[in-house]
Amino acid sequence: MSEQSVPPEYRIEDLAHRSGATVRTIRAYQDRGLLPRPERRGRSNVYGETHLARLRQIADLLDRGYTLASIKELLEAWDAGRGLGGVLGLVAEVDGPWTDEEADRISRAELDARFGGEPDEDAVQEAIELGVLERVTGRENEEYLVPSPQELAVAAELYAAGVPLGAITGHLRELRGQVEHIAARFLEFTSEHVFARYLEHRPPTDADATEAATLVRRLRPLAQQTVDAELARAMRLFATAHLQFHLSPDAPVPGGREPRAVTLPAETIRAVRELVGERNVSAFITAAAEREVQTRTLDALTSSRAKGNEIPQMD
């Protein structure tokens, strides 16, 4: 007859070492009710595998962006017998990659070569701030992780076509804000019309969470497919109108592109500086002005279509 294995037991220092949490953090979790109380053995507290598993669950949920208050609700539901497997499955489905693109790595020498061959520390730092590049530490040669190789490839192509790096990063900042707005609206739309019935309970039941995870998996491609289709439609419409305008013999000759001084209120400059930092003030104001011009152009094109598809002549 084989001897039964004895479950491992830990002192709080051992538990901290195994879990990666600090002793202070473990005690704080106990005080907040996130971690069961240890078993008292004489003058010592003894922890087990249950405590270690719970600490790892908390760390995983924190990494996914959950607050301690939300984590407590989830864990209390699990302890009450409602189950947590479906909820964790839903968390994993939402937190998983939303693209098939795989990250890549690039050396500093390769990076410089793709953008003219001359090192540009400011441009690299801005790319890091935007998340286009991530530093890889512990390497003998300077190396970067590229979360989206496609995005970096687009930037390299634009640069090769003559677009300055500052204009590329400014355009990316503007584009990111617009895309984040689209993503937020898509989530609002699906939450109202698809997921509302799963959000009635906080946290959702295990069965509801499992079904919601399946729906997320099905609906995941829809946002990108919709944006791709609408972007293609808009590009076809506006690119054609833009070309017709510039090919028209009556179109005004474009003026020079040299910078012109424009006086702005000090309060406006101060607000922009606080929002984007001193280095990005010019790029932000330029992008904001271009966005306003584009908006008015879209309004003019829409209005002209209603009046007979005439292409507006812009001064």
Side-chain angles (χ1 to χ4, degrees):
M1 182 174 178
S2 62
E3 188 177 322
Q4 290 185 344
S5 60
V6 178
E9 296 179 345
Y10 311 102
R11 295 176 305 162
I12 191 169
E13 293 82 4
D14 300 327
L15 183 65
H17 177 73
R18 291 290 301 273
S19 66
T22 65
V23 169
R24 183 177 179 181
T25 297
I26 293 173
R27 288 179 174 148
Y29 287 168
Q30 288 177 184
D31 293 339
R32 299 189 64 158
L34 290 162
L35 197 65
R37 290 287 176 180
E39 184 179 345
R40 191 74 176 175
R41 298 273 184 83
R43 301 175 64 179
S44 301
N45 290 326
V46 177
Y47 299 82
E49 285 295 301
T50 301
H51 297 90
L52 181 59
R54 177 60 60 90
L55 285 171
R56 287 171 175 168
Q57 286 174 343
I58 294 173
D60 180 60
L61 290 169
L62 284 172
D63 287 343
R64 298 176 187 276
Y66 282 75
T67 64
L68 288 177
S70 299
I71 293 172
K72 184 178 181 181
E73 289 184 2
L74 291 172
L75 296 176
E76 285 176 348
W78 190 19
D79 291 339
R82 290 173 56 188
L84 191 59
V87 173
L88 292 178
L90 176 59
V91 170
E93 192 64 49
V94 172
D95 195 51
W98 286 73
T99 176
D100 295 332
E101 187 178 16
E102 295 184 1
D104 198 0
R105 294 194 177 199
I106 188 172
S107 69
R108 179 56 188 267
E110 292 171 331
L111 182 65
D112 291 341
R114 294 184 69 176
F115 289 90
E118 293 294 329
D120 189 332
E121 297 299 331
D122 290 340
V124 170
Q125 184 58 39
E126 191 158 17
I128 292 173
E129 292 174 3
L130 287 167
V132 176
L133 299 174
E134 297 178 10
R135 292 190 189 276
V136 177
T137 58
R139 304 285 297 186
E140 184 177 345
N141 298 319
E142 192 172 358
E143 192 174 60
Y144 299 91
L145 178 71
V146 185
S148 174
Q150 292 180 3
E151 192 169 53
L152 186 65
V154 169
E157 287 292 336
L158 290 173
Y159 182 80
V163 182
L165 285 175
I168 294 173
T169 54
H171 178 69
L172 177 57
R173 290 183 187 276
E174 180 186 4
L175 179 64
R176 182 168 293 179
Q178 294 169 344
V179 171
E180 287 176 355
H181 174 72
I182 293 172
R185 289 293 298 119
F186 187 81
L187 286 175
E188 291 172 4
F189 173 79
T190 53
S191 294
E192 178 182 358
H193 298 286
V194 179
F195 293 103
R197 61 184 180 275
Y198 303 110
L199 304 176
E200 295 174 352
H201 308 95
R202 293 190 53 152
T205 65
D206 201 49
D208 280 350
T210 299
E211 189 173 348
T214 301
L215 271 175
V216 170
R217 196 175 305 116
R218 286 174 48 197
L219 299 180
R220 183 188 295 270
L222 299 189
Q224 184 171 347
Q225 290 171 3
T226 302
V227 171
D228 286 347
E230 284 301 308
L231 179 61
R233 182 198 63 81
M235 287 298 296
R236 182 173 62 252
L237 173 65
F238 297 124
T240 300
H242 193 70
L243 180 62
Q244 290 176 354
F245 168 72
H246 284 283
L247 293 181
S248 172
D250 299 327
V253 178
R257 298 286 293 176
E258 66 276 2
R260 294 178 57 188
V262 177
T263 303
L264 294 175
E267 293 79 4
T268 301
I269 298 295
R270 189 180 305 112
V272 173
R273 185 183 296 115
E274 292 176 356
L275 181 64
V276 300
E278 180 68 37
R279 187 174 62 183
N280 298 316
V281 168
S282 296
F284 181 89
I285 293 175
T286 300
E290 290 178 350
R291 182 175 181 177
E292 178 64 22
V293 170
Q294 290 170 358
T295 299
R296 297 192 179 195
T297 301
L298 298 182
D299 291 342
L301 287 168
T302 304
S303 175
S304 68
R305 184 178 185 180
K307 295 177 180 178
N309 293 320
E310 297 176 357
I311 304 301
Q313 304 297 314
M314 299 192 62
D315 297 330

Short mmCIF file of all heavy atoms in Angstrom, two decimals, residues 262-278 281-282 284-285:
data_model
loop_
_atom_site.label_atom_id
_atom_site.label_comp_id
_atom_site.label_asym_id
_atom_site.label_seq_id
_atom_site.Cartn_x
_atom_site.Cartn_y
_atom_site.Cartn_z
N VAL A 262 1.20 81.64 -37.11
CA VAL A 262 -0.20 81.87 -36.73
C VAL A 262 -0.23 82.14 -35.24
O VAL A 262 0.35 81.38 -34.45
CB VAL A 262 -1.08 80.64 -37.06
CG1 VAL A 262 -2.51 80.88 -36.60
CG2 VAL A 262 -1.05 80.34 -38.54
N THR A 263 -0.88 83.21 -34.84
CA THR A 263 -0.96 83.57 -33.42
C THR A 263 -2.10 82.81 -32.76
O THR A 263 -3.24 82.85 -33.23
CB THR A 263 -1.17 85.08 -33.26
OG1 THR A 263 -0.10 85.78 -33.91
CG2 THR A 263 -1.20 85.45 -31.79
N LEU A 264 -1.79 82.11 -31.66
CA LEU A 264 -2.79 81.39 -30.90
C LEU A 264 -2.81 81.92 -29.47
O LEU A 264 -1.77 82.36 -28.96
CB LEU A 264 -2.47 79.89 -30.87
CG LEU A 264 -2.56 79.15 -32.21
CD1 LEU A 264 -2.08 77.70 -32.02
CD2 LEU A 264 -3.98 79.16 -32.74
N PRO A 265 -3.97 81.88 -28.81
CA PRO A 265 -4.04 82.34 -27.42
C PRO A 265 -3.09 81.54 -26.52
O PRO A 265 -2.90 80.33 -26.73
CB PRO A 265 -5.51 82.09 -27.04
CG PRO A 265 -6.24 82.04 -28.34
CD PRO A 265 -5.28 81.46 -29.33
N ALA A 266 -2.51 82.21 -25.55
CA ALA A 266 -1.58 81.55 -24.64
C ALA A 266 -2.26 80.39 -23.90
O ALA A 266 -1.65 79.36 -23.62
CB ALA A 266 -1.02 82.56 -23.64
N GLU A 267 -3.57 80.58 -23.58
CA GLU A 267 -4.29 79.53 -22.87
C GLU A 267 -4.39 78.26 -23.71
O GLU A 267 -4.31 77.14 -23.20
CB GLU A 267 -5.70 80.00 -22.49
CG GLU A 267 -5.73 81.13 -21.46
CD GLU A 267 -5.44 82.49 -22.09
OE1 GLU A 267 -5.30 82.56 -23.34
OE2 GLU A 267 -5.37 83.48 -21.33
N THR A 268 -4.55 78.43 -25.04
CA THR A 268 -4.63 77.27 -25.94
C THR A 268 -3.30 76.53 -25.97
O THR A 268 -3.26 75.30 -25.86
CB THR A 268 -5.01 77.73 -27.36
OG1 THR A 268 -6.26 78.41 -27.32
CG2 THR A 268 -5.09 76.53 -28.30
N ILE A 269 -2.21 77.26 -26.12
CA ILE A 269 -0.89 76.65 -26.15
C ILE A 269 -0.62 75.91 -24.83
O ILE A 269 -0.10 74.79 -24.83
CB ILE A 269 0.20 77.70 -26.40
CG1 ILE A 269 0.00 78.37 -27.76
CG2 ILE A 269 1.59 77.07 -26.32
CD1 ILE A 269 0.16 77.44 -28.93
N ARG A 270 -0.97 76.54 -23.72
CA ARG A 270 -0.74 75.92 -22.41
C ARG A 270 -1.54 74.63 -22.26
O ARG A 270 -1.03 73.61 -21.77
CB ARG A 270 -1.12 76.90 -21.31
CG ARG A 270 -0.70 76.43 -19.90
CD ARG A 270 -1.08 77.44 -18.84
NE ARG A 270 -0.54 78.76 -19.14
CZ ARG A 270 -1.28 79.82 -19.46
NH1 ARG A 270 -2.59 79.71 -19.54
NH2 ARG A 270 -0.73 80.99 -19.72
N ALA A 271 -2.79 74.64 -22.71
CA ALA A 271 -3.63 73.45 -22.60
C ALA A 271 -3.09 72.31 -23.46
O ALA A 271 -3.06 71.15 -23.04
CB ALA A 271 -5.07 73.79 -23.00
N VAL A 272 -2.64 72.64 -24.68
CA VAL A 272 -2.09 71.61 -25.57
C VAL A 272 -0.79 71.07 -24.98
O VAL A 272 -0.54 69.86 -25.01
CB VAL A 272 -1.84 72.20 -26.97
CG1 VAL A 272 -1.09 71.19 -27.84
CG2 VAL A 272 -3.16 72.57 -27.63
N ARG A 273 0.03 71.94 -24.42
CA ARG A 273 1.30 71.50 -23.83
C ARG A 273 1.04 70.52 -22.67
O ARG A 273 1.73 69.52 -22.54
CB ARG A 273 2.09 72.71 -23.34
CG ARG A 273 3.49 72.34 -22.82
CD ARG A 273 4.21 73.56 -22.28
NE ARG A 273 4.46 74.54 -23.32
CZ ARG A 273 3.92 75.76 -23.35
NH1 ARG A 273 3.08 76.13 -22.39
NH2 ARG A 273 4.20 76.59 -24.32
N GLU A 274 0.06 70.82 -21.85
CA GLU A 274 -0.26 69.92 -20.73
C GLU A 274 -0.82 68.59 -21.23
O GLU A 274 -0.64 67.55 -20.60
CB GLU A 274 -1.28 70.59 -19.80
CG GLU A 274 -0.71 71.79 -19.04
CD GLU A 274 -1.75 72.50 -18.21
OE1 GLU A 274 -2.94 72.07 -18.28
OE2 GLU A 274 -1.41 73.45 -17.48
N LEU A 275 -1.48 68.62 -22.38
CA LEU A 275 -2.11 67.41 -22.91
C LEU A 275 -1.11 66.48 -23.58
O LEU A 275 -1.13 65.26 -23.35
CB LEU A 275 -3.20 67.80 -23.92
CG LEU A 275 -4.00 66.66 -24.56
CD1 LEU A 275 -4.80 65.92 -23.49
CD2 LEU A 275 -4.92 67.21 -25.64
N VAL A 276 -0.20 67.03 -24.39
CA VAL A 276 0.68 66.18 -25.21
C VAL A 276 2.16 66.38 -24.96
O VAL A 276 2.99 65.66 -25.51
CB VAL A 276 0.39 66.38 -26.71
CG1 VAL A 276 -1.05 66.04 -27.04
CG2 VAL A 276 0.72 67.81 -27.15
N GLY A 277 2.54 67.38 -24.14
CA GLY A 277 3.94 67.63 -23.89
C GLY A 277 4.50 68.68 -24.84
O GLY A 277 3.99 68.89 -25.95
N GLU A 278 5.59 69.33 -24.40
CA GLU A 278 6.18 70.43 -25.16
C GLU A 278 6.58 70.02 -26.57
O GLU A 278 6.34 70.73 -27.55
CB GLU A 278 7.41 70.96 -24.40
CG GLU A 278 8.12 72.11 -25.10
CD GLU A 278 7.27 73.38 -25.11
OE1 GLU A 278 6.57 73.64 -24.11
OE2 GLU A 278 7.32 74.09 -26.13
N VAL A 281 3.61 69.79 -29.29
CA VAL A 281 2.63 70.86 -29.45
C VAL A 281 2.37 71.17 -30.92
O VAL A 281 1.23 71.21 -31.38
CB VAL A 281 3.12 72.13 -28.71
CG1 VAL A 281 2.25 73.34 -29.11
CG2 VAL A 281 3.05 71.94 -27.21
N SER A 282 3.43 71.35 -31.69
CA SER A 282 3.27 71.71 -33.11
C SER A 282 2.55 70.62 -33.89
O SER A 282 1.63 70.90 -34.68
CB SER A 282 4.63 71.98 -33.75
OG SER A 282 5.25 73.10 -33.14
N PHE A 284 0.52 68.37 -32.73
CA PHE A 284 -0.89 68.26 -32.31
C PHE A 284 -1.74 69.35 -32.96
O PHE A 284 -2.83 69.08 -33.48
CB PHE A 284 -0.97 68.36 -30.79
CG PHE A 284 -2.37 68.22 -30.25
CD1 PHE A 284 -2.89 66.98 -29.93
CD2 PHE A 284 -3.18 69.34 -30.06
CE1 PHE A 284 -4.17 66.84 -29.44
CE2 PHE A 284 -4.47 69.21 -29.57
CZ PHE A 284 -4.97 67.96 -29.26
N ILE A 285 -1.24 70.59 -32.94
CA ILE A 285 -2.01 71.70 -33.52
C ILE A 285 -2.17 71.50 -35.02
O ILE A 285 -3.24 71.74 -35.59
CB ILE A 285 -1.32 73.04 -33.21
CG1 ILE A 285 -1.38 73.32 -31.71
CG2 ILE A 285 -1.95 74.17 -34.01
CD1 ILE A 285 -0.63 74.55 -31.27
#
